[in-house]
């Protein structure tokens, strides 16, 4: 796959570059106006950690944030103005939310350009332009598909990290880019493994389980759950399945919802509430913790993947043990479905350049297809990705993820 890489639609890439540059200029202009007013006519660049630190800790007198960084002298506690610090300050100093959000936005736009849109491309002998990437043939520790920059050159593109808003630049002329995404995949695996009957009933009946969780967490009728509440409940429930602590949960919420007021008390409340709402999920986690503590540290996924946990038992190792089977099952399901889809397309005699898989992103498959074969490719992909996870049933009902 590395020799093919991700094909680039040059015109779309150019459009995205122009849009991203205009948006970056706009955000930087707004930030310039704000910082000049707040910083005695001295502009602040979002891309200069030193200028941002001097602005927020010197002029605005924010409480200083520090991070432990590895240096040649060991771990050193250093002052930081990184994105996590900015998100923390948005919560603590909401009166400066707009300028802080613009710092984050300017950094994101610059990152889009430098890391993805302007990533180094390769031109093939036939004239096609591609983003190359390397594959980790053993996958991640949980067995997930893993792709990144070219190992020898540190060039190319981190194929799995391309934000959805930028995938418009991937593809070939005359082809459609298709993405098939499993629905609430890990949440379903956790429900089946733990025997969380209320969740399983929701999944089998087609009810939106994330909306149900949001309704229970925010104490509102399911018909009144907002998009924000659903997304927040989805993130919080996913994190709590794997025993994330309140401090880390607070960071996760701030990362995805930087302007949403979410405190440590909120994190502790949600974690406790989810234990109450879904007790079997919590008991499943306790069982894995006990297995780790009694010395049985070998775990198998339902596809037969093995992972042995060595070293001291820590909160992190227990969280990794809890997440192993759901993450491994979903990753392997996607990998095997992708192999079957590709084989079936080849068997049907479709052009393998214009009808093929080009990427996998955890629980989704990304591919190209000619417009006249969209219905066919969709039906094949849906069938293969909905295959039962082996050896996983609840009261005789196998798990098939739509």
């Amino acid at each position: 796959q590395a020799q093919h890489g991700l094909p680039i639609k040059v015109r779309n890439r150019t459009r995205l570059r122009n849009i991203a540059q205009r948006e970056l200029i706009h955000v930087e202009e707004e930030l310039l106006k704000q910082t000049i007013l707040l910083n005695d006519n001295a502009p602040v660049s979002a891309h200069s950690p030193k200028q941002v630190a001097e602005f927020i800790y010197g002029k605005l007198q924010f409480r200083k944030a520090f991070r432990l960084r590895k240096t040649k002298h060991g771990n050193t506690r250093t002052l930081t103005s990184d994105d996590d610090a900015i998100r923390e300050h948005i919560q603590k100093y909401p009166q400066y939310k707009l300028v802080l959000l613009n710092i984050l936005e300017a950094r994101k736009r610059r990152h889009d350009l430098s890391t993805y849109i302007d990533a180094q491309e390769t031109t093939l002998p036939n004239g096609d332009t591609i983003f190359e990437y390397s594959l980790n043939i053993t996958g991640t520790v949980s067995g997930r598909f893993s792709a990144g920059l070219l190992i020898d050159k540190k060039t190319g593109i981190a194929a799995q990290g391309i934000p959805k808003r930028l995938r418009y630049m991937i593809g070939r002329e005359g082809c459609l880019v298709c993405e098939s995404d499993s629905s609430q995949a890990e949440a379903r695996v956790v429900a089946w493994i733990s025997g969380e009957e209320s969740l399983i009933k929701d999944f089998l009946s087609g009810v939106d389980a994330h909306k149900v969780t949001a309704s229970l967490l925010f104490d509102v009728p399911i018909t009144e759950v907002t998009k924000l509440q659903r997304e927040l409940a989805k993130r919080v429930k996913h994190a709590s399945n794997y025993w994330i602590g309140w401090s880390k949960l607070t960071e996760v919420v701030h990362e995805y919802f930087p302007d949403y007021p979410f405190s440590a008390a909120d994190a502790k409340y949600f974690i406790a509430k989810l234990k109450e709402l879904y007790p079997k999920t919590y008991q499943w986690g306790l069982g894995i913790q006990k297995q780790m503590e009694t010395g049985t540290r070998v775990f198998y996924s339902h596809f037969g993947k093995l992972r042995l946990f060595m070293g001291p038992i820590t909160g992190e190792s227990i969280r990794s043990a809890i997440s192993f089977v759901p993450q491994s099952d979903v990753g392997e399901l996607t990998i095997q479905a992708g192999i079957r889809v590709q084989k079936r397309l080849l068997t049907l005699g479709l052009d393998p350049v214009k009808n093929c898989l080009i990427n996998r992103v955890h629980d989704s498959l990304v591919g190209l297809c000619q417009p006249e074969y969209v219905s066919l490719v969709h039906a094949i992909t849906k069938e293969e990705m909905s295959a039962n996870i082996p050896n996983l049933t609840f009261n005789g009902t196998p798990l098939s993820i739509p």
Side-chain angles (χ1 to χ4, degrees):
Q1 186 70 28
Q3 75 180 71
H4 302 294
L6 297 178
I8 303 171
K9 277 191 173 181
V10 178
R11 287 183 297 177
N12 291 0
R13 184 190 186 192
T14 300
R15 292 191 191 106
L16 274 177
R17 180 184 289 114
N18 292 337
I19 291 170
Q21 288 174 339
R22 285 198 301 269
E23 290 176 341
L24 176 60
I25 290 171
H26 173 72
V27 173
E28 289 182 333
E29 287 177 346
E30 289 298 308
L31 183 61
L32 177 66
K33 296 174 186 176
Q34 292 168 329
T35 54
I36 282 178
L37 286 174
L38 293 169
N39 200 37
D40 298 331
N41 291 321
V44 176
S45 170
H47 316 297
S48 168
K50 181 180 178 182
Q51 287 186 21
V52 173
E54 290 174 348
F55 171 58
I56 62 178
Y57 300 126
K59 182 62 181 177
L60 300 184
Q61 292 292 297
F62 287 1
R63 183 176 179 179
K64 294 180 179 179
F66 296 88
R67 297 283 183 268
L68 285 178
R69 303 192 188 281
K70 291 183 179 180
T71 69
K72 60 182 180 180
H73 304 296
N75 290 335
T76 304
R77 187 168 178 265
T78 58
L79 186 68
T80 182
S81 58
D82 63 12
D83 288 359
D84 286 340
I86 297 299
R87 294 185 192 104
E88 291 173 13
H89 294 317
I90 289 173
Q91 301 294 316
K92 295 175 181 176
Y93 307 98
Q95 67 272 34
Y96 295 110
K97 180 174 72 173
L98 293 179
V99 65
L100 296 175
L101 285 173
N102 277 334
I103 289 173
L104 292 177
E105 192 64 24
R107 289 175 174 177
K108 183 172 76 173
R109 298 302 175 189
R110 171 72 70 85
H111 184 261
D112 285 350
L113 283 162
S114 62
T115 304
Y116 299 112
I117 299 174
D118 290 334
Q120 181 176 324
E121 74 274 9
T122 299
T123 302
L124 300 178
N126 66 0
D128 284 350
T129 306
I130 63 171
F131 289 126
E132 289 186 291
Y133 60 86
S134 64
L135 295 180
N136 176 355
I137 60 173
T138 61
T140 65
V141 292
S142 65
R144 288 177 174 179
F145 179 83
S146 176
L149 300 178
L150 297 183
I151 297 172
D152 57 340
K153 304 175 184 176
K154 294 296 182 183
T155 57
I157 199 166
Q160 292 180 287
I162 302 174
K164 286 190 176 182
R165 64 182 179 277
L166 302 182
R167 295 178 192 172
Y168 175 64
M169 65 181 174
I170 304 300
R172 287 193 174 97
E173 295 301 329
C175 297
L176 299 176
V177 177
C178 307
E179 181 171 1
S180 297
D181 190 354
S182 295
S183 172
Q184 305 169 358
E186 284 186 34
R188 292 174 189 267
V189 175
V190 170
W192 253 256
I193 293 174
S194 64
E196 197 68 73
E197 197 163 358
S198 63
L199 272 179
I200 293 173
K201 287 180 179 178
D202 289 341
F203 285 131
L204 291 176
S205 65
V207 173
D208 187 333
H210 295 320
K211 265 194 171 183
V212 172
T213 301
S215 172
L216 296 170
L217 285 178
F218 292 100
D219 194 24
V220 296
I222 192 168
T223 55
E224 296 178 14
V225 171
T226 66
K227 182 178 179 180
L228 174 61
Q229 288 172 329
R230 181 192 181 277
E231 287 302 307
L232 183 58
K234 174 183 173 181
R235 296 285 178 186
V236 171
K237 178 66 168 68
H238 178 78
S240 71
N241 283 345
Y242 302 146
W243 282 28
I244 193 171
W246 64 265
S247 178
K248 185 63 178 177
L249 178 59
T250 305
E251 291 179 16
V252 168
V253 173
H254 291 173
E255 178 181 356
Y256 288 98
F257 312 95
D259 58 344
Y260 182 83
F262 191 84
S263 66
D266 294 325
K268 292 174 182 177
Y269 167 76
F270 280 160
I271 290 172
K273 185 68 174 178
L274 287 168
K275 288 179 182 179
E276 175 188 326
L277 293 172
Y278 304 110
K280 289 189 177 180
T281 302
Y282 180 59
Q283 290 299 318
W284 162 68
L286 285 176
I288 293 176
Q289 180 184 36
K290 183 177 180 180
Q291 185 175 341
M292 288 281 285
E293 292 174 346
T294 55
T296 311
R297 302 193 193 181
V298 178
F299 294 84
Y300 290 90
S301 77
H302 293 93
F303 285 89
K305 292 276 187 180
L306 177 151
R307 185 174 178 191
L308 169 63
F309 287 84
M310 302 180 68
I313 296 176
T314 63
E316 183 59 37
S317 67
I318 290 173
R319 286 189 289 272
S320 295
I322 292 172
S323 66
F324 168 66
V325 171
Q327 291 181 350
S328 182
D329 280 352
V330 172
E332 189 65 22
L333 177 72
T334 306
I335 290 171
Q336 292 193 15
I339 293 171
R340 294 192 298 268
V341 168
Q342 190 68 73
K343 285 182 176 179
R344 289 179 66 177
L345 296 181
L346 290 171
T347 301
L348 290 170
L350 304 189
D351 184 339
V353 175
K354 297 181 179 179
N355 301 275
C356 60
L357 294 179
I358 58 174
N359 199 9
R360 297 177 183 86
V361 184
H362 184 37
D363 60 355
S364 68
L365 297 176
V366 183
L368 303 177
C369 73
Q370 293 170 280
E372 58 266 34
Y373 298 126
V374 168
S375 297
L376 174 63
V377 172
H378 174 263
I380 291 173
T381 306
K382 182 177 180 180
E383 179 183 339
E384 297 298 348
M385 290 192 71
S386 299
N388 292 343
I389 291 182
N391 309 309
L392 180 55
T393 62
F394 176 76
N395 288 344
T397 302
L399 174 56
S400 171
I401 303 174

